[in-house]
């Protein structure tokens, strides 16, 4: 149930992240929420509100900080991002290990579906609802800001504002996902279906639909795998999504490998 | 809506304190058709971006430009691999009326289709922009300008890398805008075309070397000076002390 809610909301965000060449940013945000979640864990144990609040704060801080840092220091954005995510991961793991055991650490990093209770389900459903509503409303400015930021500024479309709102949505979805999938794996359900969807559609809207379909299938398959093979749910779902990506890369009608190898005669005009 | 006069007063626009446009004063008359010429690095694009409000001036003033400008940026600035169809790109031209949320009316869609037809791209509505040639993509951007319907139109190297036919078609559109009384300012490198088609010219090389009727501005002496000035680059310049009388 929870994974289905996540599957509906997160992948369209992934599509935009991919189109903005920000796939790496999603990864960084995924790691970035870890210290916040860990801080929540230290203060209040395995309590969802504390960990979610901590993660939200940390994620937003990283989202704002990464952009500001690279602009302010003139460095390359990918370098600052890599630095941030290493520090975030290390500090998060250190904080959890300090008080908790290996089990808690594994659960936080890789998720456990059994840990999903009613509150977590509500959080997932709530965040999915908010995400879809905001996406539906902000679709036009988001597409414009991705495609032609200069034009967006020239017509006064407040691109930066939309961009921040969008990053906040990304963080929200990662938070909602971490309980089921783990902080490290939550990004997988966002990015992999989006990257796979590129091979099934030529326009943004189609990609968003395709990514949702792929995510739903991956979540379903992944959870079955997790249950029967007794692997943590996060890696199982991400592996399933990875398989979907592999299949898409090979067989997808848009720029798929097979379509490239199978040389059909060129058209007359 | 008819365009207002755009007045520049002692305008300086810089990149990291290096002036790209230096103490420029003058006016674009309503309905004028002006070519901005000058070597690379002379501040032509920077001037257009400042006029469009995308680059804040360091000093001086721009008056009369706010809210009436449509800018066509250099084509290379866009991500052409983006998965979006031609009609959707053109429809962004309605942003001024539709904003982020308002629905786009059927009339708006019809105008977008008509604009595509006007630039010679009938039947391209659903084609992804990634499949277009450079010339076709430039036509799409002109269609978007058509929809913006702005009284002042700024074009940054609009005919770069275009074949003769496409350039001629788009130039005809520029003349149509001129005929409709819009103010048009275009950055150009083809001096032959400027002499032939543009009544007014502004020769920039950071400083303004001439602004007025094209034949008077584009003299050989002026162009030589422009070349020398644009390439000058002091290693450790002092802060500029110049104060021009406005």
């Amino acid at each position: 149930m929870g994974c289905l809610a996540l599957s509906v909301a997160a992948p369209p965000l992934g599509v935009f992240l991919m189109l903005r060449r920000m796939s790496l940013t999603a990864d960084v945000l995924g790691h970035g929420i870890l210290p916040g979640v860990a801080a929540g864990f230290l203060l209040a144990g395995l309590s969802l509100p504390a960990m979610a609040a901590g993660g939200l704060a940390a994620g937003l801080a990283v989202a704002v900080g990464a952009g500001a840092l690279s602009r302010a220091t003139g460095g390359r954005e990918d370098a600052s991002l890599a630095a941030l995510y290493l520090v975030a991961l290390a500090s998060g793991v250190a904080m959890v290990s300090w008080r908790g055991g290996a089990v808690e650490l594994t659960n936080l990093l890789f998720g456990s579906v059994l840990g999903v209770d009613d509150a977590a389900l509500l959080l997932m459903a709530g965040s999915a609802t908010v995400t879809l509503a905001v996406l539906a409303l902000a679709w036009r400015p988001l597409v414009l800001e991705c495609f032609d930021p200069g034009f967006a500024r020239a017509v006064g479309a407040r691109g930066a504002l939309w961009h921040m709102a969008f990053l906040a949505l990304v963080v929200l979805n990662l938070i909602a996902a971490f309980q089921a999938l783990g902080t490290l794996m939550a990004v997988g359900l966002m990015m992999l279906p989006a990257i796979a969807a590129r091979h099934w559609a030529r326009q943004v809207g189609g990609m968003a639909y395709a990514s949702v379909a792929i995510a739903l299938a991956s979540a379903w398959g992944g959870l079955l795998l997790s249950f029967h093979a007794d692997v943590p749910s996060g890696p199982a779902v991400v592996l399933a999504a990875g398989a979907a990506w592999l299949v898409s890369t090979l067989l997808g009608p848009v720029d798929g490998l097979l379509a490239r190898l199978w040389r059909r005669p060129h058209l007359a005009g | 809506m008819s365009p207002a006069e755009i007045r520049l007063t002692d305008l300086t626009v810089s990149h990291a304190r290096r002036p790209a446009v230096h103490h420029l004063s003058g006016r674009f008359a309503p309905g004028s058709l002006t070519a901005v010429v000058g070597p690379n690095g002379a501040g032509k694009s920077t001037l257009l971006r400042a006029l469009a409000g995308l680059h804040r001036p360091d000093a001086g003033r721009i008056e009369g430009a706010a809210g009436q400008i449509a800018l066509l940026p250099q084509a290379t600035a866009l991500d052409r691999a983006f998965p979006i169809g031609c009609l959707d790109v053109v429809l962004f031209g309605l942003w001024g009326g539709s904003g982020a949320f308002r629905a786009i009316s059927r009339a708006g869609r019809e105008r977008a289709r008509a604009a595509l037809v006007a630039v010679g791209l009938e039947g391209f509505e659903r084609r992804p922009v990634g499949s277009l040639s450079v010339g076709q993509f430039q036509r799409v951007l002109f269609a978007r300008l058509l929809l913006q319907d702005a009284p002042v139109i700024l074009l940054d190297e609009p005919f770069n890398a275009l074949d003769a036919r496409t350039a001629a078609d788009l130039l005809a559109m520029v003349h149509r805008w001129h005929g409709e009384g819009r103010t048009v300012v275009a950055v150009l490198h083809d001096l032959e075309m400027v002499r032939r088609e543009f009544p007014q010219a502004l020769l920039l090389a950071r400083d303004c070397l001439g602004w007025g009727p094209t034949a008077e501005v584009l003299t050989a002496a002026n162009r030589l000076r422009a070349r020398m000035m644009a390439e000058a680059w002091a290693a450790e310049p002092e802060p500029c002390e110049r104060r021009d009388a406005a």
Side-chain angles (χ1 to χ4, degrees), chain A residues 25-72:
Chain A
T25 307
D27 214 10
V28 173
L29 288 177
H31 289 80
I33 64 173
L34 184 61
V37 171
F41 170 72
L42 278 186
L43 290 175
L46 279 172
S47 108
L48 179 69
M51 291 195 292
L56 198 61
L60 289 178
V62 171
V64 176
L69 191 65
S70 68
R71 269 195 302 278

Side-chain angles (χ1 to χ4, degrees), chain A residues 15-16 18-21 134 136-159 162 198 201-207, chain B residues 49 52-55 69 71 73 77-86 88-89 92-93 95-96 98-104 125-129 137 141 144 148:
Chain A
V15 169
F16 278 103
M18 176 183 70
L19 290 175
R20 306 198 58 144
R21 299 168 199 277
V134 174
L137 275 174
W139 186 263
R140 197 185 300 161
L142 277 179
V143 172
L144 179 58
E145 166 70 10
C146 278
F147 170 61
D148 192 349
F151 182 77
R153 272 185 72 196
V155 296
R158 327 254 317 180
W162 291 113
R198 194 178 76 84
R202 287 183 195 278
Q203 300 210 0
V204 192
M207 278 189 193
Chain B
R49 288 173 51 79
L54 295 177
H55 201 132
I69 282 183
L71 168 69
L78 274 177
D79 175 15
R80 283 187 42 221
F82 197 87
I84 188 171
C86 292
D88 288 340
V89 176
F92 279 132
W95 188 283
S98 74
F101 305 122
R102 261 171 303 230
I104 287 171
E125 284 86 355
R126 298 192 49 79
R127 279 273 294 272
V129 293
F137 188 62
L141 293 183
R144 186 174 72 180
Q148 282 184 274

Side-chain angles (χ1 to χ4, degrees), chain A residues 73-263:
Chain A
T73 60
R76 301 177 63 95
E77 188 163 27
D78 57 344
S80 343
L81 288 179
L84 266 178
Y85 105 73
L86 289 167
V87 172
L89 179 60
S91 60
V93 169
M95 282 159 83
V96 177
S97 315
W98 185 42
R99 286 284 288 279
V103 178
E104 280 91 347
L105 185 62
T106 313
N107 279 355
L108 280 186
L109 289 178
F110 302 115
S112 81
V113 181
L114 298 179
V116 176
D117 52 13
D118 284 354
L121 267 181
L122 271 178
L123 178 64
M124 290 178 195
S127 94
T129 311
V130 170
T131 304
L132 289 181
V134 174
L135 266 185
L137 275 174
W139 186 263
R140 197 185 300 161
L142 277 179
V143 172
L144 179 58
E145 166 70 10
C146 278
F147 170 61
D148 192 349
F151 182 77
R153 272 185 72 196
V155 296
R158 327 254 317 180
L161 199 71
W162 291 113
H163 184 56
M164 285 317 301
F166 168 70
L167 284 182
L169 278 186
V170 172
V171 172
L172 182 66
N173 274 274
L174 290 174
I175 297 291
F178 89 85
Q179 192 113 44
L181 302 177
T183 49
L184 289 189
M185 294 291 129
V187 182
L189 195 58
M190 185 178 288
M191 294 312 299
L192 276 170
I195 298 169
R198 194 178 76 84
H199 293 290
W200 297 100
R202 287 183 195 278
Q203 300 210 0
V204 192
M207 278 189 193
Y209 290 124
S211 68
V212 169
I214 293 170
L216 285 173
S218 315
W220 185 260
L223 290 181
L224 281 180
L225 179 71
S226 161
F227 181 74
H228 289 294
D230 196 23
V231 282
S233 51
V237 169
V238 172
L239 272 181
W245 168 70
L246 195 66
V247 170
S248 306
T249 317
L250 287 174
L251 303 180
V254 183
D255 288 338
L257 276 179
L258 205 66
R260 191 158 290 182
L261 290 177
W262 177 36
R263 294 176 64 98

